[in-house]
Amino acid sequence: MGESARRVATLGECMIELVRRPDGTFTMGFGGDTLNTAVYMARLGVATDYVTALGDDGNSDAMVATWEAEGVGTGHVLRVPNRVPGLYMIETDDSGERRFLYWRDSAPARDLFVLPDSPALVADLEGYDLLYMSGISLAIWGERGREVLFPMLDRLRERGGRVAFDTNWRPRLWPDRDTAQRAYDAMLRRTDIALPGVEDLRGLYGDADADTAMARVRGAGVTEIVLKLEKPGCIVSAPGVEETVPSEKVAKVVDTTAAGDSFSAGYLSARLKGLGPVEAARSAHRIAAVVIQHRGAVIPRDAMASVLDG
């Protein structure tokens, strides 16, 4: 992909994050799958804008300030009067697996493509070189939002832009499986770099194994696929490339909250810097291995010293 992709954006939702600590107390932060990816990309040296909608409250102000401090571009964060962001709580068990509880039904991010400022936003996004979003993004925008999104992606790709998509299947966000399948089918047909998970595609489509999942994504016309396996590792498929890339070994998993988000950031950042798909997957595994050894969606920057440039 190389350095020619100068304008990069991730699209989705950021929420207030409450993390339950082992002693029963909570800490507050901000997180959301594509926002996590944007922060990790920025830390990895890739200029990235975050595209979402927030309220006009103090927490929304604090979110924007936090993202700007991380080097994430906020010029396309729409602000909606008299609204507040969604909220989620993370609980983790002794093995590091997490459970999420959500309060997000009236979050402004759901209306990203149907607000008064949305037409101007869409027009500008068509000029980007790479847009990244997830199955969660796809779900929260609803039918009305997707009716705006898909033509915009078509126009972007006709101009030479590229689209990256992480399947990130969350059944509770969808009214029914048929609606979700139609939306995913339409999204995959507009995807250049897919980061699906075997578990995601089994849950959504009933795909039995990695071969079936890979065949489905290829059948949609995606030319670069990083299929995340149930056992740690991934299969990279691109023109002239087909290779299984094992994950990094970790002595103790503390919290898997942003494992996939940081993996996506590592992969896309490496590709944007000119690494090949297999080398990019190895880099992504290294970054995810660091992230899952710390609590929370966005870990302290100094904890990433071993995988940051410079």
Side-chain angles (χ1 to χ4, degrees):
M1 187 156 46
E3 291 287 349
S4 60
R6 298 292 184 185
R7 298 187 76 196
V8 179
T10 73
L11 289 71
E13 178 183 23
C14 180
M15 293 174 285
I16 299 167
E17 175 192 89
L18 296 179
V19 180
R20 186 190 295 274
R21 298 299 184 181
D23 64 0
T25 61
F26 290 88
T27 59
M28 191 182 87
F30 308 119
D33 63 339
T34 54
L35 182 276
N36 302 336
T37 298
V39 170
Y40 287 122
M41 288 181 74
R43 289 183 179 183
L44 292 165
V46 173
T48 306
D49 293 333
Y50 193 57
V51 181
T52 192
L54 295 175
D56 59 356
D57 61 302
N59 283 321
S60 294
D61 293 341
M63 283 184 183
V64 172
T66 299
W67 305 343
E68 290 175 346
E70 287 281 1
V72 174
T74 59
H76 288 316
V77 176
L78 304 186
R79 304 296 293 269
V80 184
N82 304 313
R83 300 275 290 276
V84 296
L87 178 149
Y88 71 101
M89 183 170 68
I90 304 173
E91 297 176 324
T92 53
D93 61 23
D94 292 340
S95 66
E97 287 303 315
R98 75 279 197 210
R99 174 176 179 249
F100 293 91
L101 301 172
Y102 293 97
W103 296 264
R104 74 195 309 176
D105 289 349
S106 61
R110 289 178 172 263
D111 297 331
L112 179 66
F113 290 115
V114 295
L115 295 168
D117 293 334
S118 298
L121 170 68
V122 167
D124 196 46
L125 289 178
E126 290 174 18
Y128 273 67
D129 297 288
L130 178 68
L131 297 183
Y132 169 81
M133 62 208 73
S134 75
I136 293 175
S137 311
L138 207 59
I140 65 167
W141 294 327
E143 294 280 7
R144 290 176 64 206
R146 293 190 292 271
E147 287 174 0
V148 177
L149 170 72
F150 291 146
M152 183 263 285
L153 296 182
D154 291 338
R155 294 188 294 269
L156 175 140
R157 296 178 78 218
E158 287 169 4
R159 190 196 51 76
R162 307 191 78 194
V163 176
F165 177 60
D166 183 327
T167 51
N168 221 349
W169 162 242
R170 297 292 185 271
R172 290 186 179 182
L173 294 178
W174 294 91
D176 55 72
R177 195 172 304 271
D178 287 344
T179 300
Q181 288 177 353
R182 289 194 300 272
Y184 272 73
D185 290 346
M187 186 68 213
L188 287 169
R189 290 195 299 271
R190 295 166 169 87
T191 295
D192 299 285
I193 303 171
L195 298 116
V198 170
E199 291 182 71
D200 286 345
L201 298 188
R202 178 180 297 127
L204 175 58
Y205 293 104
D207 292 344
D209 53 28
D211 290 341
T212 308
M214 184 68 82
R216 178 180 299 280
V217 181
R218 280 202 195 104
V222 184
T223 56
E224 184 170 337
I225 305 166
V226 186
L227 180 65
K228 291 167 280 188
L229 303 173
E230 292 174 279
K231 63 180 181 180
C234 65
I235 299 173
V236 177
S237 177
V241 176
E242 184 83 14
E243 186 169 332
T244 300
V245 182
S247 65
E248 296 276 312
K249 292 184 178 179
V250 174
K252 180 175 174 55
V253 175
V254 174
D255 185 351
T256 60
T257 298
D261 309 335
S262 58
F263 180 92
S264 293
Y267 185 82
L268 295 173
S269 296
R271 293 290 284 127
L272 287 164
K273 294 176 183 178
L275 273 67
V278 172
E279 293 80 4
R282 292 192 182 111
S283 177
H285 280 316
R286 284 194 295 272
I287 291 156
V290 171
V291 169
I292 64 176
Q293 294 179 74
H294 300 81
R295 292 194 180 277
V298 177
I299 69 172
R301 185 185 182 92
D302 57 11
M304 296 181 64
S306 63
V307 292
L308 295 180
D309 294 336

